Amino acid sequence: TRVGQVGERHPGAMAMAVLLHAAVALPFMGQTEYNLSRVSSLVLSSQTLRDLPAVRVGVSLQLDCCSSQSSRGRGMWGSWQLLVSYVNEVHGGIFVDGQQHQVELIAIGDYSDSAVTASNMQLLLAQGVRLFLGPFGSAQSAAAAAVVHSAPDAIIMATAASSTSVFAGRPRVFGVFSPGGSYFETVVEKFAVTKPNCAILTENFGPALSWGAGAKADIAQRGMKLLSEVTVPHFASEDELAAVVSGWGKIFEDAGSSPLILLATYEIQTCITLAREATRQQLPRLLMVFTNCVDKAEFASEPTNIRAYVAGVAPWSPMVGRSAAYDPWTNSSAAEYTETFATYTGNTPDYVDAAAYGGLAALLWALRTTGTSDAATLRAHLQDETHPTVYGELKYDSNRQNNLALRLIQYQWESDDAQAQGGSFVLTVVQGRTTVAETLLCRGGATPNYAAHRCEAAIWSLTGMLIVSMSIALVVLLFCILVSVRMQRGRKRARLLLYTKNDREVRLPSLLTPVHGYHVFLSHVWVSGQDQMRILKQRLLAMMPEVRVFLDVDDLRSGRGDEDIDRSNIVLVFISSGYFSSQNCMRELLRAFATGKPIITVCETSANKGALTREEVMASLRIADRRYTEVWGDSILAEEARTWLETPDELCPAGIALCKAIAGGQSVAGDLDAVLYGELGPIEWTRVDAFQNVTLRLIAERILIGGGTEATYIKSVRAHERKVAAQKLNVLLWPQH
């Protein structure tokens, strides 16, 4: 995948292209010609799939360095780049409108200006683009949506807009965020009975105004009493916010109750200042609920008593992900998306980045599922179905906004006695399904009153502070280096394959061909086996770091793969739908048989992922029998078999007989069936982690033929088993605990 540069570019857009290119280390660069002169733009497409037609997705985005929402635009582009690269290079693109297509993403910079957004969208429409993504923010998304609505055959996924006005009356405009007015619904529903009195603070800035208005409507609907409603300036000063908190104290004292305080804040510093002031002025704690605050890293660094004071609502957070969220393209979880995004961009994704990834994933998945780019068909599919994404499930209401409920989150002690024991203070979903722990570095120790405990530095002289600061910095640096080294070693050993008898790393057999040789060749069909084989290679490398695994998208240098079969010790055949109708796969299988390679058979077990029964495999092999003597793909396999017979020293006796049978038009289905379902039998591919560990261990043990056949185990699995056994023993010895 490459980033192509088009037209005259703004320096910020050029810097971003270089940054992303360096971060992802994209190996393929090229040029796609579009009539986009005098605008800053990026084009992301596949050089390896350059001969395929393109499904083009356009977006007007904040690509520059310094406009008000440019950091948001860069994060969204990072998410889209990861997904488009994966779909193109791993899935080989998308089969749509009767043929395979690559995905091409065209982004034009708009400098956070709605007027420029509208102009860019018109330009993309003129270039024939009909699938669109939205920029960050409701204002610019509204400008983009209006242009798309004017084209009857266009559709847009506005991934970063929450205002209902973006979607109302525009049937081909879809979102990812929940409606802005619904952000406090979960909170009001939870506290309607126990906290009937309420107060609202709204920051005077676009999204926050929508959140505050929604909170007021929710309170009225539930029959709750609104004691105070305040609007503060965007970037309000500390004095202004302190005065608001002081006013609350008087109002709540007169009311004789501790109400629910809903704070529609956009800026993180506004949130932190309010939480600090509420603590300093000793307002009743645990009653303040913020938007856009509690799950942020800046808030996580606040002292315990500050964080204990408030709760928050979050659509998505890397700290508290949704357990059911996953990406259908990669089968990866929200946590895995977070790790990948951080690896390739150097930043931790937030809810905007996750929504951007999820929205594009849903749009491309709809293309794949329906098999058409027709806007009416795509619209019906998006509207009627539930779409899993790393952001969470997308389930649309009548306005085509997501019905996903926000969760109420709060820092709490991980257990009842954690406070007294100096335990961890964790971010917890109060109403939801997932809890993720974050260790508190500054603890309250055995002090029961943690609300009064702070981590405060002593005030020293300027010289003393400088000396101490430098010393502390040096110690922290050395500590971080030590921790980093230990973590790297731990990661490397976390899933190592070890011998059961002595807990030592397994010994790999020697390579048949030391130069460009492989321990195992992964033979599979892209359409239903690429994701599984990518996972398999990654896990084998984690278990046996020195293992050499051939995966075509990584290792095919030239030819059609049969030469790499010859250089491999073992061939693994992954049986899934489409394998036996692929000429390349059948060539690999026949060459492995002919040269006498040991064959490991792994079978897909999930019906919706392409599982085949043995009867279906035999039927497919019989169909293949009839195709060996025909033009299949770019050659005739029967003629290739005759060529193999010219070098009989490379073939085994059974392989010579196989080649003669193929060349003579005879059936070899039974021979292939026997070798695939041989003495050891096939291994089932499973996705449940505990069972998948068994699958991987069985595969690894067959690769180890020649390097030792002793029993093995995966280190992390054994450690887990020992932990469980220890816990059971504790229960037996001390049941009262």
Side-chain angles (χ1 to χ4, degrees):
T1 304
R2 49 79 178 166
V3 176
Q5 303 177 12
V6 183
E8 180 182 341
R9 297 163 53 91
H10 187 276
M14 294 179 67
M16 181 189 169
V18 173
L19 172 65
L20 289 176
H21 181 272
V24 189
L26 301 177
F28 306 111
M29 291 294 293
Q31 181 75 24
T32 299
E33 296 298 333
Y34 289 96
N35 182 21
L36 301 177
S37 58
R38 297 186 303 281
V39 294
S40 60
S41 58
L42 296 175
V43 178
L44 178 65
S45 62
S46 173
Q47 186 70 3
T48 58
L49 303 179
R50 59 186 178 276
D51 295 331
L52 293 180
V55 169
R56 294 189 292 166
V57 182
V59 60
S60 177
L61 190 64
Q62 299 90 341
L63 293 176
D64 59 289
C65 66
C66 311
S67 65
S68 60
Q69 304 299 342
S70 59
S71 62
R72 292 297 195 184
R74 290 195 296 272
M76 294 166 71
W77 175 263
S79 278
W80 292 334
Q81 185 178 28
L82 288 177
L83 180 59
V84 171
S85 301
Y86 190 90
V87 171
N88 281 336
E89 305 308 325
V90 177
H91 282 270
I94 301 178
F95 189 83
V96 62
D97 295 333
Q99 59 180 321
Q100 196 74 8
H101 287 69
Q102 65 162 308
V103 178
E104 190 168 70
L105 182 60
I106 310 166
I108 309 179
D110 58 24
Y111 312 107
S112 305
D113 187 318
S114 297
V116 178
T117 298
S119 176
N120 289 346
M121 295 295 288
Q122 293 285 3
L123 181 57
L124 288 167
L125 276 175
Q127 296 295 319
V129 178
R130 290 298 180 268
L131 300 175
F132 294 93
L133 297 166
F136 175 76
S138 292
Q140 287 183 250
S141 293
V147 175
V148 169
H149 181 63
S150 69
D153 57 345
I155 194 166
I156 184 172
M157 180 67 70
T159 66
S162 61
S163 174
T164 56
S165 62
V166 176
F167 308 91
R170 296 166 177 162
R172 285 167 283 103
V173 180
F174 290 82
V176 177
F177 289 170
S178 302
S182 69
Y183 273 40
F184 284 109
E185 274 185 5
T186 300
V187 183
V188 173
E189 179 182 357
K190 183 175 181 62
F191 292 107
V193 176
T194 58
K195 301 292 180 185
N197 295 327
C198 300
I200 298 176
L201 178 143
T202 303
E203 191 170 1
N204 191 13
F205 182 69
L209 292 171
S210 175
W211 302 336
K216 186 175 182 180
D218 291 335
I219 288 171
Q221 183 178 5
R222 294 280 179 175
M224 303 167 75
K225 185 177 181 180
L226 184 60
L227 298 180
S228 171
E229 182 180 7
V230 179
T231 300
V232 299
H234 190 207
F235 295 111
S237 68
E238 291 186 7
D239 290 342
E240 289 173 316
L241 298 177
V244 171
V245 175
S246 177
W248 282 340
K250 177 62 176 174
I251 293 172
F252 303 156
E253 183 179 348
D254 293 343
S257 66
S258 55
L260 172 66
I261 309 174
L262 304 178
L263 302 114
T265 55
Y266 185 82
E267 299 299 336
I268 182 65
Q269 193 54 48
T270 303
C271 160
I272 291 174
T273 300
L274 286 167
R276 289 173 177 174
E277 280 299 319
T279 304
R280 186 181 67 83
Q281 298 186 32
Q282 298 183 345
L283 263 66
R285 62 186 180 89
L286 304 179
L287 301 175
M288 302 174 69
V289 183
F290 287 89
T291 55
N292 203 37
C293 173
V294 174
D295 61 332
K296 297 294 188 294
E298 296 94 327
F299 186 78
S301 64
E302 288 293 299
T304 306
N305 58 323
I306 300 294
R307 287 182 289 155
Y309 216 93
V310 304
V313 288
W316 184 92
S317 169
M319 297 176 67
V320 185
R322 291 183 180 270
S323 59
Y326 78 97
D327 174 31
W329 286 103
T330 63
N331 287 322
S332 59
S333 65
E336 290 166 329
Y337 156 76
T338 299
E339 181 180 356
T340 303
F341 184 96
T343 298
Y344 286 113
T345 69
N347 298 306
T348 301
D350 65 5
Y351 71 103
V352 175
D353 305 324
Y357 187 102
L360 178 57
L363 181 60
L364 296 182
W365 196 258
L367 280 169
R368 171 177 170 167
T369 303
T370 62
T372 179
S373 59
D374 175 67
T377 304
L378 290 173
R379 173 201 168 190
H381 178 80
L382 289 170
Q383 180 75 64
D384 297 339
E385 302 296 328
T386 298
H387 312 281
T389 74
V390 295
Y391 182 80
E393 289 187 342
L394 304 188
K395 181 70 174 178
Y396 290 110
D397 60 20
S398 58
N399 204 38
R400 295 157 307 287
Q401 290 182 271
N402 192 9
N403 271 327
L404 189 68
L406 277 68
R407 281 96 40 82
L408 177 61
I409 58 177
Q410 182 183 37
Y411 277 97
Q412 297 178 349
W413 290 101
E414 62 181 350
S415 63
D416 293 339
D417 62 347
Q419 174 190 342
Q421 300 297 324
S424 296
F425 201 48
V426 301
L427 190 60
T428 304
V429 176
V430 180
Q431 183 163 316
R433 289 172 289 184
T434 306
T435 299
V436 175
E438 175 213 287
T439 301
L440 180 67
L441 298 180
C442 180
R443 294 171 174 154
T447 306
N449 185 17
Y450 70 85
H453 195 83
R454 294 172 181 253
C455 296
E456 298 178 345
I459 301 177
W460 290 33
S461 67
L462 182 60
T463 303
M465 288 182 65
L466 180 62
I467 294 173
V468 171
S469 298
M470 292 178 65
S471 301
I472 292 175
L474 180 60
V475 171
V476 170
L477 177 61
L478 293 174
F479 176 76
C480 291
I481 292 173
L482 178 62
V483 170
S484 177
V485 171
R486 290 178 63 88
M487 288 178 65
Q488 289 294 332
R489 289 178 178 174
R491 278 195 291 268
K492 289 180 179 178
R493 295 186 57 84
R495 287 187 176 269
L496 283 178
L497 189 69
L498 307 177
Y499 289 122
T500 303
K501 66 178 183 180
N502 56 17
D503 294 330
R504 292 182 178 177
E505 293 183 38
V506 298
R507 301 182 304 275
L508 284 162
S510 301
L511 291 168
L512 295 179
T513 308
V515 180
H516 300 312
Y518 300 93
H519 291 103
V520 59
F521 180 106
L522 304 183
S523 178
H524 64 286
V525 64
W526 274 24
V527 67
S528 59
Q530 186 66 54
D531 295 347
Q532 299 91 317
M533 292 302 96
R534 169 60 67 188
I535 293 170
L536 175 58
K537 179 173 181 177
Q538 291 172 344
R539 290 295 303 274
L540 288 176
L541 287 170
M543 294 160 59
M544 302 176 291
E546 303 302 319
V547 71
R548 295 269 298 160
V549 181
F550 179 92
L551 183 63
D552 52 4
V553 295
D554 295 339
D555 305 298
L556 184 61
R557 296 178 175 85
S558 61
R560 294 176 294 193
D562 45 340
E563 301 90 346
D564 297 295
I565 292 277
D566 295 347
R567 292 195 289 263
S568 300
N569 292 19
I570 292 175
V571 175
L572 183 145
V573 174
F574 186 75
I575 295 179
S576 62
S577 177
Y579 182 91
F580 300 101
S581 59
S582 165
Q583 182 216 39
N584 289 330
C585 292
M586 291 306 298
R587 178 187 294 110
E588 294 164 1
L589 175 57
L590 294 174
R591 185 65 184 178
F593 187 113
T595 55
K597 300 288 182 184
I599 292 178
I600 303 172
T601 303
V602 179
C603 297
E604 174 59 66
T605 57
S606 177
N608 63 355
K609 299 290 185 180
L612 296 175
T613 65
R614 186 168 183 178
E615 291 74 17
E616 290 172 330
V617 169
M618 177 57 82
S620 299
L621 289 171
R622 291 196 179 106
I623 294 173
D625 275 337
R626 300 193 292 270
R627 304 186 68 180
Y628 296 141
T629 56
E630 303 172 353
V631 176
W632 187 1
D634 59 358
S635 66
I636 300 175
L637 289 180
E639 293 182 356
E640 293 187 38
R642 293 190 188 97
T643 303
W644 295 347
L645 287 169
E646 295 173 2
T647 53
D649 292 344
E650 297 178 357
L651 309 179
C652 66
I656 293 174
L658 178 87
C659 291
K660 289 180 178 179
I662 293 174
Q666 300 175 25
S667 174
V668 295
D671 299 310
L672 295 177
D673 176 81
V675 75
L676 290 172
Y677 297 90
E679 180 180 351
L680 294 177
I683 298 172
E684 293 185 345
W685 179 262
T686 56
R687 289 172 173 79
V688 178
D689 190 56
F691 298 133
Q692 191 175 81
N693 285 329
V694 176
T695 294
L696 294 163
R697 179 175 56 79
L698 292 174
I699 293 171
E701 287 179 350
R702 295 193 190 181
I703 294 173
L704 290 173
I705 295 174
T709 56
E710 296 95 338
T712 65
Y713 71 93
I714 300 173
K715 182 182 179 183
S716 62
V717 177
R718 171 65 66 84
H720 174 70
E721 291 171 348
R722 287 173 176 167
K723 180 179 179 181
V724 172
Q727 291 173 342
K728 291 181 178 178
L729 182 61
N730 282 334
V731 172
L732 290 173
L733 295 178
W734 298 285
Q736 68 273 23
H737 296 299

